[in-house]
Amino acid sequence: MDDWRGEYEGKTISIDDAAALVKSGDYVVFTMGREAFGLGLAIAARKDELKDVKMFCPAPSYDFGWYDDEWQDSFQVMTMMVTGVCQEAVDAKRIDVNPGVLIGTPRGMTGAQLEQDPDIAITEVSPPDEKGFCSFGQSVWDKRKTIKQAKLVVAEVNDKLIRTYGDNFIHVSEIDYFVEHVSSGIGLGTGTLAGRERKDPEPYLKDIAKYVNGLMEDGDTLQIGVGRTSEALVALGMLDGKQDIGYHSEATPPGIITLVKQGVINGERKTINPGKAVVTSLGGGTREEMVWADRNPLFWLVDVDYLEDIRVISSHDNMVAVNNALAIDLAGQIASETIGIRPMAAAGGQPSFVIGALLSKGGRSITVIPSTAAGGKVSRIVPRMTEGAAVTVPRQLADYVVTEYGVTRLWGKSLRQRAKGLISIAHPDFREELTKEALQMWG
């Protein structure tokens, strides 16, 4: 381990030589988070040479071409989180979707999701430090576990990656080959949490932020899920006036890093890991926020299996989970992944955080959902789930639900009470029809 410099130099090869390591029939896995851009391009350039390469891209950030038509003979792609990069390919059934497992259980995340040990794992790391340790930059996820499972590991070395405390490191000796980074032209902190372009928040989101603020208390520990609704809430005032907030969440939506800097999120009352903002990814921040988080001991990046272990989540007193939904029916079933059978997102850590928050002393689970979709033409509160829709949170675990029209609590309520509460926060244009449907179902 002391002679890492010679080992590192001996393992450094060209990107073309690294891409040539991929053989027809191989199982190739990009680690969770932003893909290694240069390696992705170099492998895609071998399209006409390769056949039946199984490619797992868990959360696509870049379009290397293999999501297009007529690439399937060369690359058989599977994803987990449906992003804007691959949505069209998913809709056209050109690629497969893995719905994932309950993260943070003994079976773990990657061990249950990878169909076999990867022939090649591809990741992105910082240059090694003086002791030969590389950083995974702004996200850890399950990278260490994936690397241990793989038969061969290739890392693209990006000197722009930040370093953090926690589990965010790997030694040169654990990687087989290194290549020089090729820039995508996208800098740190300029993307959203799920590979989508930034958009100005809808006006109604400020009302949702206000209602969630009313459910928050000083000293709470917070989790915020990925999604256009939840990601906007902090910047729109969800934590205005609050003090001593703790943070234990997958990522950092816009505004979180600034609130850590300001001391609003200080973790002083956290039951475990006090004084630290514990995440597995720093995403959604500005370039300035990311620079401030670099080598900052207030942020701990940990493996997702620890972060989303239900036992760890529930060990936080006053744990508050705030998550998105695509639809919710009058019985309280929450769909956050699909519209009918159409995959739109991933469950991710939502089930684990919902359960963990409900097991927490003083904990709460909050589902945030706009009242309508399709420009107001469709109600997101529906009489019953569309056929084929994936239920992410069963009705027995539904707690608070928030739209721009208010808050209702479903926990412990009867079907009639649930319907009444949900109709009260539905868009006014749909309340009469929803009431008729509820009467037909339950009287």
Side-chain angles (χ1 to χ4, degrees), residues 13 34 56 97 142 154 160 166 169 222 287 304 306 356 362 392 438:
I13 60 177
R34 186 175 64 184
F56 184 41
V97 178
D142 60 332
V154 183
K160 298 296 191 295
F169 60 88
L222 176 64
R287 178 181 292 275
V304 71
Y306 172 81
T392 309

Side-chain angles (χ1 to χ4, degrees), residues 191-384:
T192 64
L193 301 182
R196 298 180 303 271
E197 293 182 2
R198 290 186 184 275
K199 291 184 178 180
D200 292 335
E202 299 289 348
Y204 59 74
L205 291 175
K206 192 164 186 179
D207 293 323
I208 293 178
K210 177 187 68 175
Y211 287 122
V212 175
N213 179 277
L215 298 174
M216 296 288 300
E217 299 176 2
D218 292 347
D220 283 342
T221 292
L222 176 64
Q223 174 261 337
I224 304 177
V226 172
R228 289 206 186 276
T229 301
S230 58
E231 288 175 29
L233 299 182
V234 172
L236 293 175
M238 190 186 92
L239 294 176
D240 284 1
K242 306 303 177 184
Q243 299 178 355
D244 298 338
I245 299 298
Y247 200 70
H248 184 95
S249 189
E250 277 187 355
T252 53
I256 288 292
I257 294 174
T258 293
L259 289 181
V260 174
K261 187 175 182 179
Q262 294 173 348
V264 175
I265 297 176
N266 56 32
E268 289 187 2
R269 304 192 205 178
K270 287 180 73 177
T271 317
I272 62 173
N273 299 316
K276 299 180 181 68
V278 179
V279 299
T280 195
S281 173
L282 290 167
T286 64
R287 178 181 292 275
E288 291 73 23
E289 286 178 316
M290 299 304 291
V291 169
W292 190 78
D294 184 26
R295 295 176 173 84
N296 190 326
L298 296 180
F299 296 95
W300 279 66
L301 268 68
V302 299
D303 188 279
V304 71
D305 279 355
Y306 172 81
L307 185 92
E308 295 178 9
D309 188 324
I310 294 168
R311 295 162 296 187
V312 172
I313 296 168
S314 62
S315 296
H316 295 86
D317 290 350
N318 305 307
M319 184 77 208
V320 180
V322 179
N323 287 286
N324 290 273
L326 295 171
I328 181 168
D329 71 14
L330 292 179
Q333 296 186 110
I334 298 169
S336 303
E337 304 161 68
T338 70
I339 296 176
I341 64 170
R342 185 192 186 200
M344 296 287 292
Q350 184 171 353
S352 297
F353 276 106
V354 168
I355 296 169
L358 295 175
L359 289 172
S360 161
K361 180 181 178 182
R364 283 141 280 153
S365 173
I366 302 171
T367 299
V368 292
I369 181 170
S371 65
T372 63
K377 297 177 182 178
V378 178
S379 176
R380 291 182 183 264
I381 296 176
V382 297
R384 59 193 68 81

Side-chain angles (χ1 to χ4, degrees), residues 7 30 37 96 107 170 196 201 209 218 281 291 311 321 403:
E7 183 177 3
F30 281 86
F37 186 70
D96 198 4
R107 289 174 181 247
I170 189 167
R196 298 180 303 271
D218 292 347
S281 173
V291 169
R311 295 162 296 187
T403 74

Side-chain angles (χ1 to χ4, degrees), residues 32 57-60 79-83 86 97-98 193-194 226 250 345-346 348:
M32 182 73 173
C57 303
T79 189
M80 184 177 65
M81 178 173 285
V82 181
T83 67
C86 65
V97 178
N98 187 326
L193 301 182
V226 172
E250 277 187 355

